[in-house]
Amino acid sequence: MDAQTLVDERGELWLALAPLWLEREPRETDYARMVAVIQRHDLTVRELEWVFRLELAPVLARHQMSVAGEWRSFDDYKLMKQLVAHNLRLNGWRRKSWALFSGLTTMMTRHRWNELMGRVLVERGEMP
C-alpha cells in the first residue's frame, strides 16, 4: 500500500482518534466527533482495536512519553507523516512486535478508548 492510499483510507480516522493521547481528557465534542468518524469508516470493534493498538499507539505513545514534547495539541501534517511512515513499515515482524507490546503503548489511554468504544456500541444500538 502506498502513502496516498493510507492517507485516503485512514487519515481522517487517525486524526479523529489522536485526541485520545492528549494530556487533557477528551471533551464531549471530541468523543462525538470520534464516534461520527468511526461510523463513517464502518469498521468492526475488533478492527478498531487493531487500529488503536497497531496503527496509532506506537506513534502517539511516543508523544506522551517525551519529556520535551508538547502534547496539548498535534501538528496534523507532522503527525500524519509519522503515522504514514509507521504504517508503511508495519508488516511481518514489526506487526507482531507491536502486537506483543501494545499493552504498554496503550495503557495510558486505555480508559479513554474503553469510554469511546462504549459510546460507539451505544450509537450502533449494541450493548456496551
Side-chain angles (χ1 to χ4, degrees):
M1 185 176 300
D2 66 88
Q4 188 58 53
T5 303
L6 270 173
V7 170
D8 293 343
E9 289 182 6
R10 291 284 207 251
E12 178 191 31
L13 182 63
W14 289 342
L15 292 178
L17 297 177
L20 293 171
W21 279 269
L22 294 175
E23 69 181 15
R24 64 169 174 78
E25 287 296 318
R27 298 181 199 104
E28 287 298 319
T29 55
D30 295 325
Y31 280 120
R33 180 172 183 275
M34 289 181 222
V35 169
V37 171
I38 286 170
Q39 293 298 84
R40 282 197 296 274
H41 281 80
D42 196 34
L43 297 170
T44 67
V45 172
R46 184 179 176 150
E47 290 168 327
L48 289 166
E49 177 71 23
W50 287 109
V51 168
F52 172 66
R53 291 171 61 182
L54 298 180
E55 296 178 17
L56 292 169
V59 173
L60 290 162
R62 291 181 197 138
H63 287 275
Q64 283 182 316
M65 301 309 241
S66 173
V67 174
E70 177 68 35
W71 50 290
R72 290 188 185 111
S73 65
F74 293 114
D75 175 339
D76 287 351
Y77 179 75
K78 183 178 175 184
L79 180 60
M80 188 62 67
K81 282 177 54 176
Q82 293 170 337
L83 288 166
V84 167
H86 165 74
N87 281 279
L88 285 174
R89 294 186 309 268
L90 191 59
N91 52 42
W93 68 270
R94 280 190 174 101
R95 178 174 286 279
K96 290 175 185 171
S97 294
W98 283 119
L100 181 63
F101 294 106
S102 64
L104 294 172
T105 59
T106 60
M107 71 181 175
M108 292 175 67
T109 55
R110 178 55 66 180
H111 67 287
R112 295 172 181 176
W113 180 255
N114 291 341
E115 173 68 24
L116 175 61
M117 288 301 96
R119 291 169 186 244
V120 167
L121 291 174
V122 167
E123 180 71 21
R124 293 179 176 179
E126 300 174 24
M127 289 297 293

